[in-house]
Amino acid sequence: MSKAQLNRLRKRVKAGGEWRSSFVAMRHSRYGSLAYTAMPVRVVECPPDDRPGYGCVEERQDAIAAYTQALLWYITRDRAHARKAVQIMDAWSAVVRDHTEGNAGLQAAWAGSSWARAAEIMRHTYGGWPRNRVRRFAGMLRTVYLREVSVTAPDYNGNWDLAMTDAAMGISVFLDDRRGFDRAVRRFRARVPAYFYLKSDGPLPKRPPGGHIRTPDRIRDYWFGQRRFVNGLGQETCRNFTHVGYSLAATAHIAETAWHQGLDLYGEVGKRMQAALALHARYQLGADVPRWLCGGNLDLDMGPDTEVALNHFRNRRGVSMPQAQRVAQRLRNVGTDDLFVAWEALTHAKNR
């Protein structure tokens, strides 16, 4: 978010109306409680299978809590929320050293993106975060998170690359790391066209960058057996809409962060994003699923993942997206996915 967006958000909440109800939901969530207690661990262990993890849920929730408390501080100017946000971040920067097991990169991405958002607000708007603690937190982001999310995952499902790029860009902005930012931009430019299809790509989707998925058969298998490709189809559409939602959210987060840094990535991928929003919204709202699309069976469990993209296309660019807007409105009471999307109906709906 920009400072102007934060200021507009604060004014809207004070004025009441639709923004007030979203704010109250955030404030009364478990993440907004002043009694919230962080639970840091030294090594976060997140297996990719059914084995129990260690610290995974706690890390994601604590990062969202820090971001929630940062927003509450900015909106209310209650220093208790500022102290709580800093307390949570200091607790983790004092303890965590690594992520392990097969989901390490994705876990670090989910938590890292929320940590960066929280830290950026607190460093620039609250004078009570000691400089040595800010430096310690920056060191944590660089060595524990940026290192992990900078590892490429070319043959994984694309939501991994996009979530990791989201975290890498946010962390690079906090660290004033131009090289890290530029690496994230390059990764974004390579992955988004290989995730959201347009007919101009040709008869098959673009290959994921740097991987081993090269033949037509392997590309089709990578797209979960889909054989017919239409505008807006996602690499994981035939898997489920949940993971497409993650990818839409991460893509929008990256483009939005770049937008505030003076780089218009939306303009580069706008047609793909608009097509993806339109296609998935249509079926999320109950349109009949044709047999050629994923065998006629879709898992339609999309989360609250579209507000940032909608704000740009509808409110900045004036693009009419009625079906996508209806889906967003249905999901606005969700608030957060407890992974890396939080309160975006409050922070970004109609907030240019």
Side-chain angles (χ1 to χ4, degrees):
M1 298 186 72
S2 68
K3 187 74 172 292
Q5 284 176 314
L6 284 168
N7 288 337
R8 193 176 299 115
L9 170 61
R10 188 173 180 225
K11 290 178 182 178
R12 286 174 169 179
V13 169
K14 284 188 173 183
E18 61 179 303
W19 314 109
R20 186 71 187 177
S21 61
S22 296
F23 167 74
V24 169
M26 179 177 74
R27 185 178 62 187
H28 290 305
S29 71
R30 67 181 183 275
Y31 299 118
S33 171
L34 289 172
Y36 191 95
T37 302
M39 299 182 67
V41 301
R42 183 177 178 83
V43 178
V44 183
E45 304 171 10
C46 303
D49 47 39
D50 293 334
R51 289 175 292 152
Y54 179 68
C56 310
V57 174
E58 292 82 359
E59 181 185 38
R60 297 194 301 266
Q61 292 182 347
D62 286 358
I64 291 174
Y67 178 54
T68 303
Q69 297 286 342
L71 289 173
L72 287 168
W73 143 247
Y74 198 89
I75 294 168
T76 67
R77 289 299 194 264
D78 183 343
R79 294 178 72 86
H81 288 298
R83 290 191 294 270
K84 179 59 65 174
V86 167
Q87 181 187 83
I88 295 168
M89 291 190 288
D90 285 349
W92 275 87
S93 67
V95 173
V96 69
R97 295 295 179 268
D98 201 5
H99 295 82
T100 64
E101 297 289 346
N103 275 358
L106 188 58
Q107 172 71 19
W110 285 337
S113 59
S114 297
W115 286 134
R117 285 190 275 274
E120 188 77 1
I121 292 172
M122 299 312 300
R123 182 175 66 175
H124 291 289
T125 69
Y126 176 60
W129 195 7
R131 289 184 180 180
N132 65 318
R133 297 295 177 86
V134 176
R135 287 194 296 270
R136 189 176 76 187
F137 192 83
M140 177 197 78
L141 289 182
R142 185 179 295 281
T143 60
V144 180
Y145 292 88
L146 187 58
R147 178 188 64 190
E148 194 71 59
V149 300
S150 296
V151 176
T152 58
D155 295 333
Y156 285 43
N157 288 308
N159 76 88
W160 275 65
D161 244 1
L162 291 167
M164 292 165 78
T165 305
D166 179 9
M169 179 172 281
I171 291 169
S172 295
V173 169
F174 180 79
L175 296 175
D176 293 322
D177 180 350
R178 183 54 188 256
R179 287 186 178 182
F181 180 87
D182 289 343
R183 283 195 299 271
V185 170
R186 289 194 296 270
R187 192 170 180 177
F188 174 90
R189 286 170 168 161
R191 174 57 74 168
V192 174
Y195 192 92
F196 298 111
Y197 175 81
L198 286 179
K199 288 183 179 179
S200 57
D201 296 334
L204 289 172
K206 293 179 179 293
R207 297 178 299 185
H212 299 89
I213 300 169
R214 298 170 182 168
T215 67
D217 284 343
R218 291 202 68 182
I219 290 172
R220 294 185 186 102
D221 289 344
Y222 183 59
W223 284 63
F224 291 86
Q226 181 65 13
R227 293 295 184 268
R228 178 176 169 184
F229 299 96
V230 297
N231 283 338
L233 194 73
Q235 181 254 315
E236 295 177 278
T237 299
C238 295
R239 180 186 186 187
N240 55 56
F241 277 29
T242 301
H243 285 85
V244 174
Y246 296 162
S247 297
L248 282 168
T251 300
H253 291 172
I254 298 160
E256 186 74 7
T257 301
W259 176 267
H260 296 307
Q261 300 298 313
L263 177 63
D264 184 10
L265 293 180
Y266 282 118
E268 297 181 21
V269 300
K271 290 182 179 179
R272 294 182 190 275
M273 292 185 71
Q274 291 174 49
L277 286 164
L279 182 143
H280 293 88
R282 182 164 68 251
Y283 294 112
Q284 186 74 29
L285 291 171
D288 291 338
V289 183
R291 289 288 301 171
W292 60 262
L293 178 60
C294 309
N297 295 301
L298 294 174
D299 183 335
L300 302 173
D301 193 15
M302 184 176 282
D305 302 315
T306 60
E307 296 286 1
V308 176
L310 277 173
N311 180 56
H312 179 81
F313 294 121
R314 292 186 73 250
N315 300 308
R316 289 188 185 134
R317 292 294 181 245
V319 178
S320 178
M321 307 185 75
Q323 291 182 311
Q325 182 66 21
R326 285 173 60 195
V327 169
Q329 288 171 338
R330 287 186 180 185
L331 294 167
R332 281 182 177 168
N333 63 344
V334 176
T336 175
D337 65 0
D338 300 312
L339 298 174
F340 75 121
V341 175
W343 320 119
E344 291 178 358
L346 175 66
T347 59
H348 285 83
K350 301 179 184 177
N351 192 353
R352 295 186 290 180

PDB file of all heavy atoms in Angstrom, residues 37-57:
ATOM      1  N   THR A  37      -0.406 -13.429  21.348  1.00  0.00           N
ATOM      2  CA  THR A  37       0.931 -13.824  21.768  1.00  0.00           C
ATOM      3  C   THR A  37       1.635 -14.560  20.647  1.00  0.00           C
ATOM      4  O   THR A  37       1.119 -15.552  20.130  1.00  0.00           O
ATOM      5  CB  THR A  37       0.881 -14.723  23.016  1.00  0.00           C
ATOM      6  OG1 THR A  37       0.216 -14.019  24.075  1.00  0.00           O
ATOM      7  CG2 THR A  37       2.280 -15.102  23.469  1.00  0.00           C
ATOM      8  N   ALA A  38       2.804 -14.070  20.272  1.00  0.00           N
ATOM      9  CA  ALA A  38       3.586 -14.720  19.227  1.00  0.00           C
ATOM     10  C   ALA A  38       4.162 -16.039  19.728  1.00  0.00           C
ATOM     11  O   ALA A  38       4.432 -16.206  20.919  1.00  0.00           O
ATOM     12  CB  ALA A  38       4.720 -13.806  18.774  1.00  0.00           C
ATOM     13  N   MET A  39       4.367 -16.972  18.780  1.00  0.00           N
ATOM     14  CA  MET A  39       4.905 -18.285  19.122  1.00  0.00           C
ATOM     15  C   MET A  39       6.061 -18.622  18.181  1.00  0.00           C
ATOM     16  O   MET A  39       5.964 -19.519  17.339  1.00  0.00           O
ATOM     17  CB  MET A  39       3.804 -19.340  19.045  1.00  0.00           C
ATOM     18  CG  MET A  39       2.640 -19.092  20.003  1.00  0.00           C
ATOM     19  SD  MET A  39       1.373 -20.374  19.941  1.00  0.00           S
ATOM     20  CE  MET A  39       2.291 -21.776  20.603  1.00  0.00           C
ATOM     21  N   PRO A  40       7.184 -17.920  18.291  1.00  0.00           N
ATOM     22  CA  PRO A  40       8.299 -18.151  17.368  1.00  0.00           C
ATOM     23  C   PRO A  40       9.004 -19.469  17.628  1.00  0.00           C
ATOM     24  O   PRO A  40       9.023 -19.967  18.760  1.00  0.00           O
ATOM     25  CB  PRO A  40       9.234 -16.970  17.659  1.00  0.00           C
ATOM     26  CG  PRO A  40       8.965 -16.636  19.090  1.00  0.00           C
ATOM     27  CD  PRO A  40       7.484 -16.872  19.290  1.00  0.00           C
ATOM     28  N   VAL A  41       9.571 -20.023  16.571  1.00  0.00           N
ATOM     29  CA  VAL A  41      10.391 -21.232  16.683  1.00  0.00           C
ATOM     30  C   VAL A  41      11.688 -21.004  15.923  1.00  0.00           C
ATOM     31  O   VAL A  41      11.760 -20.166  15.026  1.00  0.00           O
ATOM     32  CB  VAL A  41       9.662 -22.480  16.137  1.00  0.00           C
ATOM     33  CG1 VAL A  41       8.366 -22.727  16.886  1.00  0.00           C
ATOM     34  CG2 VAL A  41       9.392 -22.344  14.644  1.00  0.00           C
ATOM     35  N   ARG A  42      12.708 -21.749  16.280  1.00  0.00           N
ATOM     36  CA  ARG A  42      14.015 -21.575  15.653  1.00  0.00           C
ATOM     37  C   ARG A  42      14.046 -22.109  14.230  1.00  0.00           C
ATOM     38  O   ARG A  42      14.558 -21.460  13.319  1.00  0.00           O
ATOM     39  CB  ARG A  42      15.099 -22.275  16.494  1.00  0.00           C
ATOM     40  CG  ARG A  42      16.511 -22.080  15.948  1.00  0.00           C
ATOM     41  CD  ARG A  42      17.562 -22.716  16.848  1.00  0.00           C
ATOM     42  NE  ARG A  42      18.902 -22.569  16.296  1.00  0.00           N
ATOM     43  CZ  ARG A  42      19.661 -21.492  16.427  1.00  0.00           C
ATOM     44  NH1 ARG A  42      19.189 -20.457  17.127  1.00  0.00           N
ATOM     45  NH2 ARG A  42      20.867 -21.438  15.891  1.00  0.00           N
ATOM     46  N   VAL A  43      13.482 -23.289  14.025  1.00  0.00           N
ATOM     47  CA  VAL A  43      13.443 -23.909  12.699  1.00  0.00           C
ATOM     48  C   VAL A  43      12.007 -24.289  12.379  1.00  0.00           C
ATOM     49  O   VAL A  43      11.399 -25.086  13.101  1.00  0.00           O
ATOM     50  CB  VAL A  43      14.350 -25.155  12.627  1.00  0.00           C
ATOM     51  CG1 VAL A  43      14.246 -25.791  11.249  1.00  0.00           C
ATOM     52  CG2 VAL A  43      15.801 -24.785  12.941  1.00  0.00           C
ATOM     53  N   VAL A  44      11.462 -23.697  11.322  1.00  0.00           N
ATOM     54  CA  VAL A  44      10.098 -23.985  10.888  1.00  0.00           C
ATOM     55  C   VAL A  44      10.149 -25.178   9.948  1.00  0.00           C
ATOM     56  O   VAL A  44      10.808 -25.125   8.906  1.00  0.00           O
ATOM     57  CB  VAL A  44       9.474 -22.769  10.182  1.00  0.00           C
ATOM     58  CG1 VAL A  44       8.028 -23.057   9.799  1.00  0.00           C
ATOM     59  CG2 VAL A  44       9.560 -21.524  11.065  1.00  0.00           C
ATOM     60  N   GLU A  45       9.452 -26.248  10.310  1.00  0.00           N
ATOM     61  CA  GLU A  45       9.499 -27.490   9.548  1.00  0.00           C
ATOM     62  C   GLU A  45       8.132 -27.748   8.914  1.00  0.00           C
ATOM     63  O   GLU A  45       7.166 -27.985   9.631  1.00  0.00           O
ATOM     64  CB  GLU A  45       9.885 -28.653  10.466  1.00  0.00           C
ATOM     65  CG  GLU A  45      11.203 -28.454  11.200  1.00  0.00           C
ATOM     66  CD  GLU A  45      11.457 -29.517  12.258  1.00  0.00           C
ATOM     67  OE1 GLU A  45      10.703 -30.524  12.287  1.00  0.00           O
ATOM     68  OE2 GLU A  45      12.383 -29.347  13.061  1.00  0.00           O
ATOM     69  N   CYS A  46       8.069 -27.716   7.582  1.00  0.00           N
ATOM     70  CA  CYS A  46       6.790 -27.832   6.874  1.00  0.00           C
ATOM     71  C   CYS A  46       6.867 -28.908   5.794  1.00  0.00           C
ATOM     72  O   CYS A  46       7.238 -28.624   4.635  1.00  0.00           O
ATOM     73  CB  CYS A  46       6.393 -26.493   6.264  1.00  0.00           C
ATOM     74  SG  CYS A  46       6.275 -25.151   7.471  1.00  0.00           S
ATOM     75  N   PRO A  47       6.503 -30.144   6.122  1.00  0.00           N
ATOM     76  CA  PRO A  47       6.537 -31.227   5.134  1.00  0.00           C
ATOM     77  C   PRO A  47       5.455 -31.031   4.068  1.00  0.00           C
ATOM     78  O   PRO A  47       4.410 -30.415   4.330  1.00  0.00           O
ATOM     79  CB  PRO A  47       6.260 -32.485   5.965  1.00  0.00           C
ATOM     80  CG  PRO A  47       6.451 -32.074   7.392  1.00  0.00           C
ATOM     81  CD  PRO A  47       6.127 -30.631   7.460  1.00  0.00           C
ATOM     82  N   PRO A  48       5.656 -31.576   2.872  1.00  0.00           N
ATOM     83  CA  PRO A  48       4.676 -31.450   1.805  1.00  0.00           C
ATOM     84  C   PRO A  48       3.585 -32.509   1.854  1.00  0.00           C
ATOM     85  O   PRO A  48       2.704 -32.530   0.995  1.00  0.00           O
ATOM     86  CB  PRO A  48       5.525 -31.621   0.546  1.00  0.00           C
ATOM     87  CG  PRO A  48       6.610 -32.559   0.976  1.00  0.00           C
ATOM     88  CD  PRO A  48       6.905 -32.217   2.414  1.00  0.00           C
ATOM     89  N   ASP A  49       3.649 -33.398   2.837  1.00  0.00           N
ATOM     90  CA  ASP A  49       2.701 -34.506   2.919  1.00  0.00           C
ATOM     91  C   ASP A  49       1.920 -34.417   4.226  1.00  0.00           C
ATOM     92  O   ASP A  49       1.773 -33.343   4.800  1.00  0.00           O
ATOM     93  CB  ASP A  49       3.449 -35.846   2.802  1.00  0.00           C
ATOM     94  CG  ASP A  49       4.678 -35.894   3.694  1.00  0.00           C
ATOM     95  OD1 ASP A  49       4.606 -35.379   4.833  1.00  0.00           O
ATOM     96  OD2 ASP A  49       5.719 -36.443   3.266  1.00  0.00           O
ATOM     97  N   ASP A  50       1.409 -35.541   4.693  1.00  0.00           N
ATOM     98  CA  ASP A  50       0.548 -35.548   5.866  1.00  0.00           C
ATOM     99  C   ASP A  50       1.296 -35.565   7.191  1.00  0.00           C
ATOM    100  O   ASP A  50       0.678 -35.574   8.259  1.00  0.00           O
ATOM    101  CB  ASP A  50      -0.397 -36.765   5.820  1.00  0.00           C
ATOM    102  CG  ASP A  50      -1.400 -36.670   4.684  1.00  0.00           C
ATOM    103  OD1 ASP A  50      -1.694 -35.530   4.269  1.00  0.00           O
ATOM    104  OD2 ASP A  50      -1.871 -37.714   4.215  1.00  0.00           O
ATOM    105  N   ARG A  51       2.604 -35.567   7.155  1.00  0.00           N
ATOM    106  CA  ARG A  51       3.359 -35.517   8.400  1.00  0.00           C
ATOM    107  C   ARG A  51       3.126 -34.183   9.098  1.00  0.00           C
ATOM    108  O   ARG A  51       2.993 -33.145   8.445  1.00  0.00           O
ATOM    109  CB  ARG A  51       4.851 -35.704   8.128  1.00  0.00           C
ATOM    110  CG  ARG A  51       5.260 -37.107   7.718  1.00  0.00           C
ATOM    111  CD  ARG A  51       6.737 -37.118   7.362  1.00  0.00           C
ATOM    112  NE  ARG A  51       7.000 -36.364   6.148  1.00  0.00           N
ATOM    113  CZ  ARG A  51       8.151 -35.756   5.869  1.00  0.00           C
ATOM    114  NH1 ARG A  51       9.151 -35.802   6.736  1.00  0.00           N
ATOM    115  NH2 ARG A  51       8.306 -35.108   4.729  1.00  0.00           N
ATOM    116  N   PRO A  52       3.072 -34.188  10.417  1.00  0.00           N
ATOM    117  CA  PRO A  52       2.850 -32.921  11.118  1.00  0.00           C
ATOM    118  C   PRO A  52       4.036 -31.977  10.953  1.00  0.00           C
ATOM    119  O   PRO A  52       5.190 -32.410  10.963  1.00  0.00           O
ATOM    120  CB  PRO A  52       2.680 -33.351  12.581  1.00  0.00           C
ATOM    121  CG  PRO A  52       3.377 -34.673  12.679  1.00  0.00           C
ATOM    122  CD  PRO A  52       3.186 -35.336  11.347  1.00  0.00           C
ATOM    123  N   GLY A  53       3.744 -30.719  10.796  1.00  0.00           N
ATOM    124  CA  GLY A  53       4.796 -29.720  10.723  1.00  0.00           C
ATOM    125  C   GLY A  53       5.093 -29.162  12.100  1.00  0.00           C
ATOM    126  O   GLY A  53       4.481 -29.542  13.111  1.00  0.00           O
ATOM    127  N   TYR A  54       6.028 -28.233  12.124  1.00  0.00           N
ATOM    128  CA  TYR A  54       6.412 -27.596  13.377  1.00  0.00           C
ATOM    129  C   TYR A  54       6.582 -26.101  13.137  1.00  0.00           C
ATOM    130  O   TYR A  54       7.486 -25.682  12.409  1.00  0.00           O
ATOM    131  CB  TYR A  54       7.714 -28.203  13.910  1.00  0.00           C
ATOM    132  CG  TYR A  54       8.197 -27.587  15.201  1.00  0.00           C
ATOM    133  CD1 TYR A  54       7.488 -27.778  16.391  1.00  0.00           C
ATOM    134  CD2 TYR A  54       9.349 -26.823  15.233  1.00  0.00           C
ATOM    135  CE1 TYR A  54       7.926 -27.208  17.578  1.00  0.00           C
ATOM    136  CE2 TYR A  54       9.801 -26.256  16.417  1.00  0.00           C
ATOM    137  CZ  TYR A  54       9.083 -26.451  17.586  1.00  0.00           C
ATOM    138  OH  TYR A  54       9.524 -25.880  18.761  1.00  0.00           O
ATOM    139  N   GLY A  55       5.692 -25.316  13.703  1.00  0.00           N
ATOM    140  CA  GLY A  55       5.779 -23.874  13.595  1.00  0.00           C
ATOM    141  C   GLY A  55       5.161 -23.273  12.347  1.00  0.00           C
ATOM    142  O   GLY A  55       5.177 -22.048  12.180  1.00  0.00           O
ATOM    143  N   CYS A  56       4.603 -24.091  11.470  1.00  0.00           N
ATOM    144  CA  CYS A  56       4.114 -23.588  10.177  1.00  0.00           C
ATOM    145  C   CYS A  56       2.887 -22.686  10.350  1.00  0.00           C
ATOM    146  O   CYS A  56       2.882 -21.534   9.885  1.00  0.00           O
ATOM    147  CB  CYS A  56       3.774 -24.743   9.248  1.00  0.00           C
ATOM    148  SG  CYS A  56       5.080 -25.978   9.106  1.00  0.00           S
ATOM    149  N   VAL A  57       1.866 -23.197  10.996  1.00  0.00           N
ATOM    150  CA  VAL A  57       0.657 -22.409  11.211  1.00  0.00           C
ATOM    151  C   VAL A  57       0.967 -21.198  12.075  1.00  0.00           C
ATOM    152  O   VAL A  57       0.516 -20.075  11.802  1.00  0.00           O
ATOM    153  CB  VAL A  57      -0.441 -23.279  11.851  1.00  0.00           C
ATOM    154  CG1 VAL A  57      -1.650 -22.428  12.216  1.00  0.00           C
ATOM    155  CG2 VAL A  57      -0.846 -24.406  10.906  1.00  0.00           C
TER     156      VAL A  57
END
